[in-house]
Amino acid sequence: MNCYVTGGAIKALREKQRLTQSQLAMKLGVSDKAVSKWETCRGFPDISLIETLAETLQVSVPELLSGEQIINANRSANLLKSKLYVCPVCGNIIQSAGTALISCCGVTLPPLEAEEADEKHALNCEIIDHEYYLTIEHPMTKSHYISFAAYCIGSRFEVVKLYPEGSAEARFFRRGHGMLYWYCNQHGLFCKKI
């Protein structure tokens, strides 16, 4: 049975917070029998309780619903290990210093996997007056275009948003070695070490 929140997740999170079924039930305004039913998969919490349940168990709603807790063990992450997420609905670009549970427009987004560019997505990078000047010979139509370019070093992540019917070019102040990223709305994320 595929359910929107698992009993095992509720039980594990409740025990992690050192709460009894009765204590959790009291905080939520339900009976301890209801909590018992949730944990044994004989019933499910009402959807109106999900936000309060997540808050009480000290997790986000997406973590509660997926049953996977996101733990950031490295709070001072190197930005070169950044993960990029792009919403297929609205085109929102989200960068995180590490793996995260990201959703946008009701869609859970997977982290993008950057790959080396093929000849149709080749990047030209020139150094002009202390800047990296990037150009990409790519169609920039409303249905097929380069959405953004980014420059990343260990301590800085910069993004330039590009638009259909514009030019596929960007400038970044040269700060040292790092990675360049660019994203085609149909073919995905590409990268190049500089």
Side-chain angles (χ1 to χ4, degrees), residues 121-126 132-138 146 167-171 182:
H121 296 93
L123 173 87
N124 181 37
C125 179
E126 298 176 63
Y132 289 120
Y133 176 60
L134 315 180
T135 55
I136 305 155
E137 293 297 323
H138 190 279
I146 300 296
S167 57
E169 61 183 46
R171 289 180 182 268
W182 60 104

Side-chain angles (χ1 to χ4, degrees), residues 34-174:
V35 173
S36 177
K37 284 183 179 182
W38 302 342
E39 290 184 359
T40 57
C41 291
R42 291 182 290 128
F44 303 109
D46 188 88
I47 196 74
S48 65
L49 293 173
I50 293 298
E51 196 170 324
T52 308
L53 179 59
E55 185 179 310
T56 304
L57 297 174
Q58 296 185 6
V59 294
S60 67
V61 171
E63 287 174 304
L64 177 64
L65 295 179
S66 71
E68 296 177 20
Q69 228 179 330
I70 306 299
I71 299 168
N72 184 1
N74 183 3
R75 296 190 186 275
S76 59
N78 180 341
L79 289 181
L80 285 171
K81 296 178 183 178
S82 289
K83 302 289 184 192
L84 291 166
Y85 304 81
V86 175
C87 179
V89 178
C90 70
N92 195 4
I93 305 160
I94 303 157
Q95 175 265 333
S96 71
T99 303
L101 185 59
I102 305 287
S103 64
C104 186
C105 297
V107 178
T108 299
L109 306 178
L112 298 175
E113 300 259 342
E115 55 188 56
E116 288 188 34
D118 55 19
E119 60 186 45
K120 293 180 181 178
H121 296 93
L123 173 87
N124 181 37
C125 179
E126 298 176 63
I127 298 172
I128 301 174
D129 295 329
H130 305 291
E131 288 184 321
Y132 289 120
Y133 176 60
L134 315 180
T135 55
I136 305 155
E137 293 297 323
H138 190 279
M140 292 294 282
T141 65
K142 287 183 178 180
S143 61
H144 190 196
Y145 58 92
I146 300 296
S147 173
F148 69 87
Y151 171 44
C152 181
I153 61 173
S155 62
R156 186 177 298 262
F157 193 95
E158 299 175 55
V159 177
V160 172
K161 178 73 174 118
L162 304 173
Y163 296 94
E165 301 177 351
S167 57
E169 61 183 46
R171 289 180 182 268
F172 297 101
F173 186 78
R174 188 173 168 209

Side-chain angles (χ1 to χ4, degrees), residues 16-32:
K16 185 177 179 183
Q17 296 301 316
R18 295 187 173 110
L19 294 172
T20 65
Q21 288 182 343
S22 296
Q23 289 169 325
L24 179 60
M26 192 168 46
K27 288 178 181 273
L28 298 173
V30 297
S31 70
D32 54 343

